[in-house]
Amino acid sequence: MSQQGYVAAPPYSQAQPGMGGYQGGFGASPAQPLYGHYGGPPQAFAAPPTGMMKPPVPSAGGMPPPPASNQYNPNVQQNGAHPQRYPAPPANSAYGQPLQSPYNSMASTAPPPAQQLTNQMSSMNLGNYAPGPMQSPPPPTSSVIQQPFQTSPPPAMGQPQMPPGPQLPHMSPPQSPLASMQMSGPPMSGPPMSGPPMSGHPMSGPPMSGPPMSGHPMSGHPMSGQPMSGPLMSGQPMSGQPMSGQPMAGPPMSGPPMAGMGRPFPGPPPSGPGGFQQPGLGAAGPPGYPQQAGQFGGHMAGPQPGMPGAFPGAPGGLAGPPQKKLDPDSIPSITQVIEDDQVKRGGQVYSTNIRGQVPPLVTTDFTVQDQGNASPRFMRCTTYSLPSTADLAKQCQVPLAAIIKPFANLPKNETPLYVVNHGETGPIRCNRCKAYMCPYMQFIDGGRRYQCGFCNCVNEVPVFFFQHLDHMGRRADFYERPELSLGSYEFVATLDYCKNNKLPNPPAYIFMIDVSYNNIKSGLVKLICDELKTLLENLPSEEGTESSAINVGFVTYNKVLHFYNVKSALAQPQMMVVSDTAEMFVPLLDGFLVNYQESKAVIYNLLDQIPDMFAETNESETVFVPVIQAGVEAFKAAECSGKLFIFQSSMPTAEAPGKLKNRDDKKLVNTEKEKTLFQPQKGVYEQLSKECVAQGCCVDLFLFPSQYMDIATMADVPSHTGGSVYKYNNFQVETDGEHFLRDLRKDVQKSIGFDAIMRVRTSTGFRATEFFGAVHMNNTTDVEMAAVDCDKAMTVEFKHDDALSEETGALMQCALLYTTVNGQRRLRVHNLSLNCSSQLSELYKSCETDSLINFFAKSACRAILNQPLKNVREILVNQTAHMLACYRKNCASPSAASQLILPDAMKVFPVYMNSLMKTAPLVGSTELSTDDRAHQRLLLMGMGVEDTQLLLYPRLTPLHNVDVNVEAQPAPVRCSEERLTDSGMFLLENGHSMFLWLGQASPPELIQSIFNLPSLAHLQGHMCALPELDNPLSNKVRSFIDGLIEKRPNSMKLNIVRQKDKPEMLFRQFLVEDKGLHGGASYMDFLCYVHREIRQLLT
């Protein structure tokens, strides 16, 4: 429970203005409403209360962040936190007595940055996220201190005061029990900030360097003319008004953490005395400080001379009381949360018979027993207790959403879905709202009628379905009918649910291979043809059927298309060429789509001939849209749905519909027009998506680019048809061949449904309003998917129409109509019931962080199509601060403002949010390829909860010390550089990339047993698989790696990197708790920044 967080002694409890300047969202207030979903109506905190520090103008805070560094706005010149921002207090006000004026007047401006930060953290009291009532308020230590800041700063100073740190006590309203996350680490540990505290991190000004987002470099007035220099600390409070009227003034840290923040905590302190850039920097930096390079990207603020607590070593610094080093272990850890949940709920049976219960985490191993609500494998929610009114929802800003994965794979020990067949009458549905029969229907009148749980309409029970009720009012056949007792089941659909009232034909798979010069030369065409011979033996089929009903067809293409007749009666396959790509048609009906088993001999013959037929080709241009059109036409002619597997290596530049030209432009990064890089080119591609969905034609794209391909446009069709996009840059058969083939095998064999349409119904009071995923929406309610497979998830957002009742709760039913791989039309139904409450504490207790971050990831990926990245990042941070501030205000017990108190269920949310802002699509960096950013954006849109969880927090597992005698898998460690050891071997994977990192001091015996080499120096660079050696360690490590590759939806290529080698940079960008390679704050800095934002909201 909550041990008291420490409230640190003065220096630290000072307002942590550190993060002060961080503007509300990063940077100046966004034009659009601060909180709320992208573009939603402004909500509650939007207008900052007057004394709050949100500067209307860009303000210091608004300063742009440092280039690299920052996540949020690279390219701008950072001038974020100039030391000068805080006047120095008179010397005497040192630490002990309550500080006086200057300090308080300063909006509590704060100890020098670094320190400040630290102290900020420390005072954050992060020690516990208590689920229970918070025990006592923090120790009085700080009372004194708090005083000073309590008084709010005089408005006089130009800044709209920053909410001075601790100052907040008064603000925090009485809160109810819930978790207090006290950040307490030891109070601030370390010498007064000297290097250690945050040790390598200059938490100093820079860290927060300018608001990252803010675009205006220096916001016009670089701190009012003078670089804040001389005056800097000079005793006058904000002296020459460095920030002059600027609101953000005081805050040292002004920019978001994303900015210059530095390295993982411990680590060598940055250069310069005291770990922060050379002293004096402040005073004499060039105006506006063009960027000083500080070791970390932004410039660091120099120690402030004369400020109490300047870093030791800084001239004139008064050392403060000794502080202990801030321990990164004292802030919430995802690996710890995952491990605790596994200990508490792992290996257990999770029964779904209770409304609104929160399931185990996605990372926990558990078995589900369906007893009336859908398994969390099919549906997860951002919170399992909805606020009962729209006002409460608006107040807390926690998005209400469900992530639905209708075809999720179930483990072998769980029962597959039952199929209910009511014959010609079809499924029983409510007459009014059309919801399907489910456990939420209440039978009345002796069983002759039932009341719908969704719309309350009373319906007659069909004669054939009648059954008597027992003394509890339950039907006698309750347990015999899946639709009355289970959360998920299927109905066999009748002709009314089929296109043109005709039963569908089994689907077909068409393999379309680009045989241009690149693909022939690289050996890719031969690789695909050889693989298809064995792969086609494993086409998906329904449980219980011997062979697959799926038909197959083959097309090769470059500037023209070649169709193959592989009818079983032929001795040799026949090729037909269509060179008129403007008016696409399929030249043969009979013999193009065939049953693989019947035509196996002819198909083998064809697959042997294709590589030879085109061996001498010089054709380097390709078409693309006509290839998909050909597939759609073939499905139309065969009256079936299906999937196209397209293998393409270059942008389609040949004269034909859909021809593309290179529009990549790095100059657009970090401008208003950056969004155009993610937008597909309109016209023929948009029309093509609609035709594909109408025909049930799903497109899977395997790309092998050596340069820009305009993935934003080429992947538009797959992303609207339920398809997948796989990308292998600079493909080479030797190093990437196996990786590609594993993806192809998984893709062809996965369970899937075709020609699908989904609708989500809800009980009265709320409804589904937004849908995110690899889907097409013709209207506002029907989600159409040409296909939906076991890895695709839709995220659905709900909004209130009216108040919800706490007694009846909230119900949702997801119904998916689709065609099975055998050609049967079915309805798959998933039902889920949630609680409703007028107590916000219930909502926060029932939140699920992994689902929340999935929602934010998808809504941000959609938002970047029509808003500048800067605004999107600002909204993400604002909403994070808003959700946490609302908890602090309404649910936590009163405590010093300097404490960061997080709800237990969301204590690691800031780690994920910070990581999300460092993903390729959201980080504005010219170093990342536009195609990689567009590809990752599309991947995120179709991901389920477990996929986003892993992507945003990769698993880093030490393998050098695994116990080869136990079955258990090695435990992961925190994803930070500081967990690596020079003599260790670590595996990092996030579901898409996998690295085996070797420390430079790895013992020879370790290298010998894994690689069969005498030492690390003998390791060649491009090994992509471990040699099969017969020793216990090698066996254990290889089986661990193979198990992960098997378990993840995508295959991963193993990259072996040595510490200090060049490729290691690639590996480091996945250490998400550290400062981002392309910009972005470390977790610690981001947490401090969010803490500051929360305090600002509360004042």
Side-chain angles (χ1 to χ4, degrees):
M1 293 311 313
S2 57
Q3 312 81 305
Q4 355 267 163
Y6 282 61
V7 184
Y12 320 117
S13 33
Q14 245 115 240
Q16 285 356 113
M19 303 332 257
Y22 268 46
Q23 226 50 346
F26 295 119
S29 337
Q32 81 257 71
L34 284 179
Y35 305 97
H37 296 328
Y38 299 110
Q43 328 214 331
F45 291 72
T50 46
M52 185 170 182
M53 180 136 190
K54 244 165 192 138
V57 289
S59 104
M63 320 206 77
S69 66
N70 131 37
Q71 172 87 29
Y72 305 47
N73 188 17
N75 281 341
V76 264
Q77 258 229 161
Q78 173 49 58
N79 314 279
H82 296 265
Q84 320 24 299
R85 256 175 239 147
Y86 352 71
N92 58 358
S93 75
Y95 284 56
Q97 11 357 0
L99 312 151
Q100 300 108 12
S101 45
Y103 251 135
N104 21 307
S105 75
M106 268 187 92
S108 313
T109 180
Q115 162 165 327
Q116 172 203 316
L117 227 177
T118 335
N119 56 173
Q120 169 150 356
M121 295 290 300
S122 110
S123 55
M124 264 166 156
N125 287 347
L126 251 177
N128 11 277
Y129 333 104
M134 245 191 80
Q135 302 184 353
S136 42
T141 45
S142 57
S143 41
V144 189
I145 314 131
Q146 235 100 357
Q147 260 39 1
F149 321 23
Q150 214 110 295
T151 57
S152 35
M157 277 181 73
Q159 45 219 70
Q161 313 306 157
M162 59 207 285
Q167 177 163 197
L168 307 194
H170 40 24
M171 84 227 75
S172 53
Q175 290 144 343
S176 83
L178 247 202
S180 118
M181 174 175 182
Q182 318 227 136
M183 225 142 162
S184 95
M188 269 336 271
S189 43
M193 281 336 264
S194 73
M198 318 314 283
S199 184
H201 241 153
M203 305 290 303
S204 73
M208 315 332 278
S209 349
M213 310 312 301
S214 70
H216 3 299
M218 298 310 303
S219 56
H221 16 255
M223 333 316 287
S224 94
Q226 72 282 37
M228 308 299 319
S229 79
L232 204 201
M233 316 313 307
S234 64
Q236 78 304 13
M238 293 331 283
S239 83
Q241 262 119 350
M243 329 309 298
S244 111
Q246 293 188 232
M248 278 336 279
M253 298 340 268
S254 161
M258 316 305 305
M261 280 307 318
R263 358 178 351 106
F265 273 120
S271 52
F276 285 83
Q277 269 287 95
Q278 302 38 344
L281 214 178
Y289 285 92
Q291 286 49 290
Q292 259 348 316
Q295 176 159 312
F296 312 40
H299 15 276
M300 310 339 304
Q304 335 285 296
M307 229 176 147
F311 309 107
L318 296 155
Q323 309 161 16
K324 299 206 234 32
K325 185 161 145 195
L326 176 67
D327 177 12
D329 286 331
S330 63
I331 59 178
S333 151
I334 290 181
T335 46
Q336 192 58 53
V337 168
I338 289 174
E339 197 182 317
D340 293 347
D341 197 69
Q342 177 63 42
V343 169
K344 189 165 125 201
R345 308 183 72 173
Q348 302 184 0
V349 172
Y350 171 75
S351 297
T352 68
N353 54 348
I354 302 171
R355 183 178 84 193
Q357 65 177 331
V358 183
L361 297 181
V362 282
T363 45
T364 299
D365 293 315
F366 59 100
T367 304
V368 179
Q369 188 172 23
D370 185 341
Q371 296 191 345
N373 283 297
S375 159
R377 302 191 204 287
F378 297 121
M379 296 177 84
R380 280 186 176 264
C381 296
T382 52
T383 176
Y384 291 83
S385 181
L386 301 184
S388 50
T389 63
D391 287 346
L392 273 178
K394 199 161 161 188
Q395 186 182 344
C396 69
Q397 304 248 324
V398 173
L400 310 177
I403 295 89
I404 305 172
K405 203 190 233 186
F407 268 82
N409 280 330
L410 296 178
K412 302 225 178 341
N413 58 353
E414 291 181 19
T415 324
L417 300 194
Y418 287 97
V419 180
V420 179
N421 190 345
H422 285 314
E424 309 217 334
T425 53
I428 295 170
R429 309 177 66 176
C430 168
N431 293 328
R432 183 197 285 163
C433 70
K434 302 292 182 233
Y436 294 88
M437 178 53 67
C438 68
Y440 315 141
M441 303 298 189
Q442 185 67 44
F443 288 87
I444 50 176
D445 219 4
R448 285 187 292 278
R449 301 196 303 170
Y450 67 91
Q451 183 170 20
C452 172
F454 296 91
C455 67
N456 300 324
C457 171
V458 175
N459 298 272
E460 296 291 326
V461 172
V463 178
F464 81 91
F465 196 68
F466 174 78
Q467 181 58 265
H468 292 287
L469 307 186
D470 63 14
H471 64 286
M472 314 250 302
R474 217 161 52 173
R475 288 174 52 123
D477 60 357
F478 179 80
Y479 290 110
E480 288 145 44
R481 291 194 178 271
E483 71 271 39
L484 298 181
S485 54
L486 299 178
S488 302
Y489 42 86
E490 295 197 312
F491 289 113
V492 173
T494 53
L495 286 177
D496 303 339
Y497 294 90
C498 302
K499 269 190 189 151
N500 310 324
N501 288 4
K502 272 171 60 177
L503 290 175
N505 289 315
Y509 281 1
I510 305 178
F511 295 88
M512 311 180 109
I513 307 169
D514 161 4
V515 289
S516 61
Y517 177 73
N518 280 349
N519 282 0
I520 294 290
K521 188 185 66 175
S522 71
L524 178 67
V525 174
K526 181 160 174 34
L527 187 72
I528 294 170
C529 292
D530 290 346
E531 178 64 29
L532 287 177
K533 293 177 191 171
T534 50
L535 187 54
L536 297 176
E537 296 282 355
N538 301 316
L539 291 170
S541 60
E542 278 295 301
E543 302 272 326
T545 50
E546 283 181 25
S547 65
S548 176
I550 294 176
N551 286 327
V552 294
F554 303 89
V555 173
T556 54
Y557 65 96
N558 38 44
K559 275 206 311 205
V560 297
L561 277 75
H562 322 106
F563 293 82
Y564 297 92
N565 182 346
V566 284
K567 202 153 85 177
S568 56
L570 297 173
Q572 283 285 335
Q574 297 172 345
M575 174 161 100
M576 304 207 176
V577 181
V578 175
S579 51
D580 178 10
T581 51
E583 292 293 321
M584 203 58 230
F585 68 98
V586 177
L588 71 165
L589 290 181
D590 190 30
F592 177 57
L593 294 177
V594 299
N595 177 292
Y596 172 70
Q597 297 301 341
E598 291 169 15
S599 299
K600 193 189 286 195
V602 191
I603 290 173
Y604 260 56
N605 208 325
L606 170 68
L607 294 172
D608 282 335
Q609 291 178 30
I610 288 175
D612 302 336
M613 241 186 306
F614 298 99
E616 303 305 312
T617 185
N618 296 323
E619 185 53 75
S620 59
E621 287 197 308
T622 56
V623 295
F624 180 62
V625 165
V627 179
I628 298 177
Q629 282 169 335
V632 175
E633 291 301 322
F635 291 150
K636 267 189 192 150
E639 297 189 344
C640 70
S641 52
K643 183 186 267 203
L644 308 181
F645 294 82
I646 302 180
F647 304 89
Q648 171 118 6
S649 65
S650 60
M651 191 151 78
T653 51
E655 280 306 325
K659 173 182 173 181
L660 296 175
K661 52 184 194 295
N662 189 336
R663 59 183 186 128
D664 188 17
D665 186 357
K666 288 283 166 61
K667 292 198 289 296
L668 300 181
V669 175
N670 291 312
T671 65
E672 290 284 317
K673 291 194 176 150
E674 181 170 8
K675 55 185 181 236
T676 59
L677 297 175
F678 297 111
Q679 294 166 353
Q681 301 195 27
K682 291 274 189 278
V684 60
Y685 284 91
E686 205 170 15
Q687 187 51 38
L688 188 56
S689 291
K690 289 184 182 150
E691 287 170 27
C692 285
V693 173
Q695 187 53 47
C697 169
C698 168
V699 179
D700 275 358
L701 201 46
F702 291 82
L703 300 173
F704 305 88
S706 50
Q707 55 200 26
Y708 175 73
M709 277 185 93
D710 196 356
I711 286 181
T713 301
M714 292 187 70
D716 189 49
V717 177
S719 69
H720 283 92
T721 56
S724 306
V725 181
Y726 300 89
K727 175 160 159 291
Y728 310 90
N729 295 345
N730 304 314
F731 179 83
Q732 291 179 317
V733 170
E734 309 69 56
T735 53
D736 305 289
E738 195 46 45
H739 169 40
F740 153 63
L741 293 178
R742 281 192 306 247
D743 272 335
L744 178 59
R745 288 174 204 133
K746 281 177 185 260
D747 198 51
V748 169
Q749 298 168 15
K750 61 174 125 183
S751 53
I752 186 168
F754 293 93
D755 202 7
I757 183 160
M758 180 179 98
R759 183 172 281 194
V760 179
R761 293 183 173 82
T762 53
S763 51
T764 50
F766 75 120
R767 66 196 157 92
T769 55
E770 285 291 334
F771 299 86
F772 304 90
V775 300
H776 175 70
M777 304 280 302
N778 249 338
N779 54 35
T780 55
T781 54
D782 297 326
V783 181
E784 296 181 53
M785 294 159 284
V788 55
D789 64 50
C790 57
D791 299 320
K792 295 287 180 300
M794 277 62 71
T795 297
V796 184
E797 185 180 10
F798 301 101
K799 288 273 196 295
H800 284 76
D801 283 333
D802 202 349
L804 298 174
S805 142
E806 299 193 30
E807 281 153 53
T808 55
L811 312 175
M812 58 182 81
Q813 181 179 77
C814 161
L816 179 82
L817 174 66
Y818 73 101
T819 301
T820 67
V821 288
N822 280 11
Q824 187 181 39
R825 201 71 178 145
R826 286 203 195 153
L827 275 155
R828 178 170 283 221
V829 180
H830 296 299
N831 303 290
L832 189 60
S833 59
L834 305 179
N835 287 331
C836 299
S837 173
S838 52
Q839 300 299 315
L840 285 175
S841 56
E842 283 302 311
L843 173 138
Y844 283 102
K845 236 184 245 171
S846 313
C847 272
E848 183 171 83
T849 290
D850 299 333
S851 297
L852 278 170
I853 202 68
N854 176 283
F855 171 83
F856 281 112
K858 292 188 183 184
S859 50
C861 283
R862 175 176 299 174
I864 60 178
L865 290 177
N866 32 38
Q867 294 191 41
L869 277 182
K870 176 176 137 242
N871 296 13
V872 176
R873 285 186 299 241
E874 227 155 72
I875 291 167
L876 289 173
V877 176
N878 283 333
Q879 200 165 343
T880 300
H882 209 123
M883 295 189 305
L884 298 174
C886 175
Y887 171 79
R888 171 75 193 249
K889 181 173 172 193
N890 301 293
C891 314
S893 31
S895 61
S898 54
Q899 287 176 276
L900 171 59
I901 298 183
L902 303 176
D904 191 51
M906 289 170 71
K907 66 190 176 200
V908 291
F909 182 73
V911 195
Y912 288 116
M913 180 54 80
N914 185 38
S915 179
L916 172 62
M917 294 200 286
K918 292 192 276 192
T919 53
L922 290 174
V923 93
S925 167
T926 49
E927 293 167 44
L928 295 168
S929 91
T930 302
D931 274 346
D932 285 346
R933 297 176 71 200
H935 182 222
Q936 194 172 1
R937 190 190 82 77
L938 293 167
L939 280 178
L940 274 163
M941 290 304 290
M943 282 186 176
V945 180
E946 50 283 29
D947 308 326
T948 45
Q949 188 278 328
L950 186 61
L951 181 77
L952 297 175
Y953 199 83
R955 300 276 144 82
L956 178 64
T957 313
L959 297 181
H960 50 278
N961 51 6
V962 291
D963 185 342
V964 292
N965 303 313
V966 295
E967 280 291 292
Q969 298 297 7
V973 294
R974 295 178 75 152
C975 205
S976 163
E977 180 189 15
E978 118 205 351
R979 305 291 156 168
L980 303 174
T981 55
D982 288 357
S983 59
M985 173 170 72
F986 291 79
L987 185 79
L988 181 143
E989 59 104 16
N990 69 351
H992 295 270
S993 305
M994 178 181 267
F995 294 88
L996 185 64
W997 181 92
L998 300 159
Q1000 53 191 5
S1002 301
E1005 53 276 20
L1006 178 69
I1007 302 300
Q1008 184 69 51
S1009 53
I1010 298 291
F1011 299 100
N1012 200 18
L1013 293 170
S1015 76
L1016 195 55
H1018 293 76
L1019 190 63
Q1020 294 303 313
H1022 34 258
M1023 188 184 285
C1024 52
L1026 298 180
E1028 298 197 15
L1029 305 175
D1030 192 16
N1031 66 62
L1033 184 62
S1034 175
N1035 291 333
K1036 176 90 178 174
V1037 169
R1038 281 182 295 110
S1039 80
F1040 178 62
I1041 291 175
D1042 294 344
L1044 288 174
I1045 291 175
E1046 190 46 46
K1047 193 161 92 179
R1048 307 294 179 226
N1050 289 24
S1051 156
M1052 292 176 280
K1053 175 181 165 186
L1054 180 65
N1055 296 285
I1056 295 171
V1057 297
R1058 287 183 289 199
Q1059 185 177 9
K1060 304 260 171 32
D1061 271 9
K1062 201 168 177 195
E1064 195 199 15
M1065 289 312 283
L1066 211 67
F1067 162 80
R1068 286 184 179 266
Q1069 67 190 18
F1070 294 98
L1071 298 175
V1072 298
E1073 290 201 17
D1074 300 342
K1075 178 167 174 271
L1077 216 61
H1078 304 291
S1082 67
Y1083 167 34
M1084 183 79 89
D1085 299 343
F1086 181 70
L1087 198 55
C1088 294
Y1089 173 52
V1090 167
H1091 182 35
R1092 227 226 62 222
E1093 286 294 294
I1094 292 171
R1095 288 163 52 179
Q1096 201 164 297
L1097 287 171
L1098 294 175
T1099 37

